[in-house]
């Protein structure tokens, strides 16, 4: 483990299962991922790496098991998954920048929209509290035993939509500066190179202040000369202590950055370990066979 | 031959009625109604069509969703399965009176045309939504946006851009179809020219001019669509 890794679990995955129809793709995965950890997920095509990753933010709804995140089991269909997804960044192989939005709008959209939605909700709540005040005081007088149950104060609003927007824009510009693309703020994604798109997709996720970042083959759709710039950015995030789970075919990168390697084949983590253990002394014959092909 | 040689005289008769006997007033009020029915009809149609299409693409996990989708199917089947004239007659003489609703004929036409084009536009819009890369929805959901928000902010704007030419065709169809509102007593371009013709029982020139007017309207719309397409194409341009 590197210095930045702590003992606070971020994701506790228990017996995670996923089927597509009759096909069982994940056959029970149990793992805990700690704050600051960098996990590289590798394995043969069709082994279930993407499915595993996509289950972690319920882009695919798990069919069994549990995933504890922020004190809730997000595999449970009753939790508000949107609220948790705000804190789980995801980066796709095909970037998926919003085509109808400029670069700046891409980065600001979710923070502004979600921030304003929360503000509106609180405003509505406050209004309800004010309107219901007379009724509550009556109930309070009648139901003396539980008097304090009827005491409710409106929450003071500390921000405005304008402030949220200004804040989001500041963050977005800071992030763009960080990757040296501030002059691209007002262009549309179709005008960018693959490497630029992917780096913007990464900072778009960062703008939400995620607790963990999920990467699904972030460099597989890139021209070789652009792979480096994207890996550099991911490496930087890792050095800053971001918790990351990265599905990748870049063995060198996995070896360099990862605290632990998960080898997923046939729907289970059939082997895992530190890069040295994993690459130097693989135990599972399946791993040996895989490594002999890719190294 | 006589048909052609008599044309100048017939034109003079038409022109007299049109310019001096208030024919132009009839025409203008007809044109106004045609445009109102088509424009408002399209507007209502886009709203209804978008709602039906958006409901249609929700993953049908909940029973309520499946129920809403079924209602959408029945709606589309009804409005695509009956002629617009039948819908107008049913609406004006049967349905609205049955519910005790007494609306001016123009409003009835707007509503019926809106409901009708809603059915067609829902199918167009569904195609548009399906043409948008599913990765766009995934990216929105992964950021914590709801299905609805992502749909409204990301997917539908792109869908509309993709279907703009088809939507323009729908508008043109709508303009032309309004020519049947005379059946329920509304005055449109078509009724206006029939009225002008009836004045002297001379229909040849009025009907020729009428056809010309429809062509001009359609050409105008076509131009408008081109301009809009160019504007909305911004995000596709290589240089900004
Ligand atoms: N939406 C889906 N519907 C049906 N089957 C699916 C779906 N997604 C994945 N699968 C199947 O699940 C299995 C695992 O797929 P997954 O994409 O997780 O593999 P992977 O390890 O990411 O492979 P690759 O290295 O090719 O990306 C495959 O057999 C695949 O065909
Ligand atoms: Mg994959």
């Amino acid at each position: 483990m590197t210095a930045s890794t702590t003992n606070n679990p971020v994701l506790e995955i228990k017996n995670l299962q996923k089927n597509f129809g009759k096909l069982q793709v994940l056959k029970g995965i149990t793992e805990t991922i700690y704050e600051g950890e960098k996990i590289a997920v590798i394995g043969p095509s069709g082994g279930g790496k993407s499915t595993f990753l996509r289950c972690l933010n319920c882009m695919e709804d798990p069919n069994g098991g549990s995933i504890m995140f922020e004190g809730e089991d997000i595999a449970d269909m009753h939790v508000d998954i949107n609220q948790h997804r705000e804190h789980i960044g995801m980066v796709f192989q095909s970037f998926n920048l919003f085509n109808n939005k400029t670069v700046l709008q891409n980065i600001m959209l979710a923070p502004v929209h979600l921030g304003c939605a929360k503000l509106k909700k609180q405003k509505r709540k406050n209004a309800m509290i004010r309107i219901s005040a007379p009724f509550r005081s009556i109930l309070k007088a009648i139901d003396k035993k539980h008097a304090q149950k009827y005491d409710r104060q409106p929450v003071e609003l500390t921000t405005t939509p304008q402030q949220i927007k200004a804040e989001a824009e500041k963050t977005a510009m800071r992030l763009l500066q960080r990757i040296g693309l501030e002059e691209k703020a007002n262009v549309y994604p179709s005008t960018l190179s693959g490497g630029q798109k992917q780096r913007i997709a990464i900072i778009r996720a960062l703008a939400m202040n995620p607790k963990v970042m999920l990467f699904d083959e972030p460099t597989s759709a890139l021209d070789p000369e652009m792979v480096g710039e994207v890996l550099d950015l991911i490496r930087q995030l890792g050095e800053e202590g971001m918790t990351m789970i990265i599905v990748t075919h870049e063995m060198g990168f996995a070896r360099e950055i990862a605290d632990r390697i998960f080898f997923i084949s046939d729907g289970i983590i059939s082997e895992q370990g530190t890069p040295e253990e994993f690459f130097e002394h693989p135990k599972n014959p399946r791993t040996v066979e895989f490594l002999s092909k890719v190294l | 031959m006589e048909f052609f040689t008599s044309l100048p005289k017939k034109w003079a008769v038409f022109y007299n009625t049109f310019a001096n006997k208030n024919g132009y007033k009839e025409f203008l009020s007809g044109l106004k109604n045609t445009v109102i029915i088509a424009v408002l009809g399209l507007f209502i149609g886009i709203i209804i069509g978008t709602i039906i299409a958006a409901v249609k693409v929700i993953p049908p996990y909940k029973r309520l969703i499946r129920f809403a989708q079924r209602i959408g199917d029945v709606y589309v089947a009804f409005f695509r399965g009956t002629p617009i004239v039948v819908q107008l007659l049913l609406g004006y003489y049967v349905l609205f009176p049955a519910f005790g609703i007494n609306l001016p004929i123009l409003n009835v036409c707007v509503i019926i045309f809106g409901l009708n084009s809603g059915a067609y536009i829902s199918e167009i819009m569904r195609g548009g939504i399906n043409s948008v890369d599913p990765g766009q929805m995934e990216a929105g959901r992964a950021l914590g946006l709801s299905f609805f928000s992502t749909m409204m902010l990301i997917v539908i704007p792109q869908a509309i851009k993709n279907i703009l030419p088809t939507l323009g065709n729908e508008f043109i169809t709508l303009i032309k179809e309004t020519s049947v509102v005379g059946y329920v007593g509304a005055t449109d371009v078509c009724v206006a020219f029939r009225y002008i013709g009836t004045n002297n029982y001379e229909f040849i020139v009025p009907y020729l001019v009428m056809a010309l007017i429809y062509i001009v309207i359609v050409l105008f719309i076509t131009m408008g669509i081109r301009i809009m397409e160019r504007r909305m194409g911004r995000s596709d341009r290589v240089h900004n």
Side-chain angles (χ1 to χ4, degrees):
Chain A
M1 282 196 189
T2 51
S4 60
T5 308
T6 70
N7 286 324
N8 304 330
V10 174
L11 283 163
E12 288 175 88
I13 306 150
K14 290 215 177 77
N15 194 25
L16 179 63
Q17 291 167 44
K18 174 70 191 173
N19 319 318
F20 289 112
K22 282 210 178 83
L23 180 70
Q24 192 175 21
V25 179
L26 297 182
K27 301 174 181 165
I29 290 184
T30 301
E31 262 311 324
T32 302
I33 289 147
Y34 295 93
E35 196 178 48
E37 248 193 325
K38 283 146 274 295
I39 308 284
V41 180
I42 64 178
S45 183
K49 303 181 297 295
S50 296
T51 307
F52 169 64
L53 201 71
R54 291 165 57 80
C55 279
L56 296 184
N57 65 350
C58 299
M59 296 302 281
E60 304 290 354
D61 289 314
N63 298 104
S66 67
I67 303 169
M68 295 303 291
F69 178 70
E70 299 182 320
E72 273 196 285
D73 176 13
I74 57 175
D76 181 348
M77 296 291 276
H78 298 290
V79 303
D80 177 9
I81 187 63
N82 293 334
Q83 197 189 323
H84 294 295
R85 279 187 185 143
E86 290 179 35
H87 306 131
I88 307 177
M90 185 168 225
V91 175
F92 302 87
Q93 183 176 344
S94 50
F95 330 127
N96 296 348
L97 292 182
F98 302 133
N99 295 324
N100 60 329
K101 302 280 175 192
T102 64
V103 167
L104 187 64
Q105 288 167 342
N106 259 278
I107 305 170
M108 287 171 59
L109 182 95
V112 171
H113 185 79
L114 296 170
C116 289
K118 269 176 211 148
L119 193 64
K120 240 187 228 160
K121 198 170 157 198
Q122 190 59 56
K123 262 188 200 161
R124 264 203 307 272
K125 257 193 202 155
N126 284 352
M128 277 313 293
I129 290 174
R130 288 202 190 90
I131 292 168
S132 64
F135 306 104
R136 276 185 289 116
S137 56
I138 294 169
L139 285 173
K140 197 172 164 180
I142 299 168
D143 189 10
K144 287 219 173 69
K145 246 195 255 159
H146 308 103
Q148 78 278 23
K149 192 171 89 184
Y150 302 104
D151 283 329
R152 276 197 280 152
Q153 288 300 318
V155 177
E156 204 186 328
L157 302 175
T158 52
T159 182
T160 63
Q162 289 77 17
Q163 246 173 318
I164 293 173
K165 225 179 237 163
E167 199 86 356
E169 183 162 352
K170 224 172 75 190
T171 309
M173 286 313 294
R174 198 193 68 228
L175 288 165
L176 276 172
Q177 256 155 28
R178 164 180 187 160
I179 59 170
L181 290 178
E182 64 268 37
E183 83 277 14
K184 298 286 186 191
N186 296 312
V187 308
Y188 285 92
S190 58
T191 67
L192 301 169
S193 76
Q196 291 172 332
K197 281 185 199 170
Q198 192 61 302
R199 286 185 292 143
I200 287 162
I202 292 172
I203 61 167
R204 176 175 70 177
L206 278 184
M208 299 296 293
N209 270 324
K211 294 210 167 90
V212 54
M213 292 270 284
L214 312 176
F215 296 84
D216 192 359
E217 301 194 27
T219 58
S220 292
L222 295 175
D223 290 337
E225 76 267 22
M226 291 168 188
V227 170
E229 61 191 66
V230 172
L231 293 186
D232 282 343
L233 179 57
I234 299 174
R235 194 178 290 125
Q236 276 176 30
L237 297 184
E239 280 160 11
E240 287 162 18
M242 177 62 74
T243 314
M244 303 194 288
I245 305 173
I246 310 165
V247 176
T248 184
H249 289 301
E250 305 271 342
M251 293 303 144
F253 181 68
R255 186 169 187 161
E256 171 205 340
I257 190 178
D259 298 308
R260 276 193 292 161
I261 309 256
F262 290 178
F263 182 77
I264 293 186
S265 63
D266 304 316
I268 53 165
I269 298 182
S270 52
E271 177 156 5
Q272 66 149 305
T274 64
E276 291 78 52
E277 283 169 6
F278 184 83
F279 286 105
E280 306 296 340
H281 314 287
K283 296 176 197 87
N284 192 318
R286 196 80 181 76
T287 318
V288 178
E289 184 202 335
F290 177 79
L291 288 177
S292 73
K293 275 189 206 143
V294 298
L295 288 181
Chain B
M1 239 19 232
E2 201 223 317
F3 179 85
F4 292 103
T5 50
S6 67
L7 273 183
K9 214 179 85 202
K10 287 181 170 150
W11 168 258
V13 171
F14 166 75
Y15 185 80
N16 185 40
T17 314
F18 191 81
N20 303 329
K21 288 191 189 159
N22 284 340
Y24 70 94
K25 277 190 187 156
E26 201 71 22
F27 163 67
L28 285 180
S29 80
L31 181 65
K32 198 182 83 191
N33 288 350
T34 292
V35 171
I36 287 177
I37 295 168
V39 169
L40 293 185
L42 185 76
F43 183 72
I44 296 172
I46 288 176
I47 293 172
I48 293 177
T50 306
I51 294 172
I52 295 177
V55 168
K56 191 84 199 195
V57 297
I58 301 175
Y61 293 139
K62 297 207 179 101
R63 194 172 294 159
L64 184 71
I65 302 286
R66 282 197 296 273
F67 182 66
Q69 290 175 339
R70 217 30 33 76
I71 290 179
D73 290 343
V74 171
Y75 178 96
V76 172
F78 173 76
F79 280 98
R80 297 215 303 180
T82 52
I84 182 80
V85 180
V86 173
Q87 291 159 23
L88 278 172
L89 293 172
L90 269 181
Y92 189 59
Y93 292 110
V94 183
L95 279 181
F96 285 107
F99 289 101
I101 304 169
N102 196 1
L103 285 176
I105 181 63
L106 185 65
N107 299 20
V108 173
C109 289
V110 166
I111 292 171
I112 297 291
F113 270 86
L115 294 175
N116 177 278
S117 73
Y120 288 92
I121 292 176
S122 78
E123 292 292 293
I124 298 172
M125 187 64 81
R126 191 150 67 97
I129 290 172
N130 287 335
S131 76
V132 175
D133 173 12
Q136 299 283 306
M137 174 57 80
E138 288 201 339
R141 298 307 308 273
L143 285 164
L145 299 170
S146 64
F147 178 90
F148 182 77
S149 298
T150 315
M151 209 65 197
M152 295 314 282
L153 296 170
I154 307 298
V155 178
I156 286 177
Q158 291 182 49
I160 288 183
K161 196 178 106 182
N162 293 349
I163 62 171
L164 208 60
T166 324
L167 222 47
N169 284 342
E170 174 63 20
F171 186 44
I172 290 170
T173 307
L174 213 53
I175 283 272
K176 292 186 292 188
E177 275 189 345
T178 54
S179 59
V180 301
V181 296
Y183 270 95
V184 285
T187 310
D188 70 330
V189 169
C190 206
V191 172
F193 279 100
R194 199 178 318 134
Y195 168 85
I196 292 171
T198 314
N199 228 305
N200 320 300
Y201 291 96
E202 201 54 82
F203 291 97
I204 293 171
V205 175
Y207 282 0
L208 281 174
V209 174
M210 175 168 79
L212 203 67
I213 296 280
Y214 275 109
I215 290 174
V216 169
I217 296 174
V218 169
L219 284 179
F220 261 113
I221 298 171
T222 311
M223 246 160 52
I225 298 165
R226 290 262 164 74
I227 292 169
M228 246 159 75
E229 269 181 307
R230 218 171 302 148
R231 281 232 186 112
M232 291 189 86
R234 254 180 337 185
S235 50
D236 280 342
R237 253 185 283 156
V238 176
H239 295 290
N240 190 270

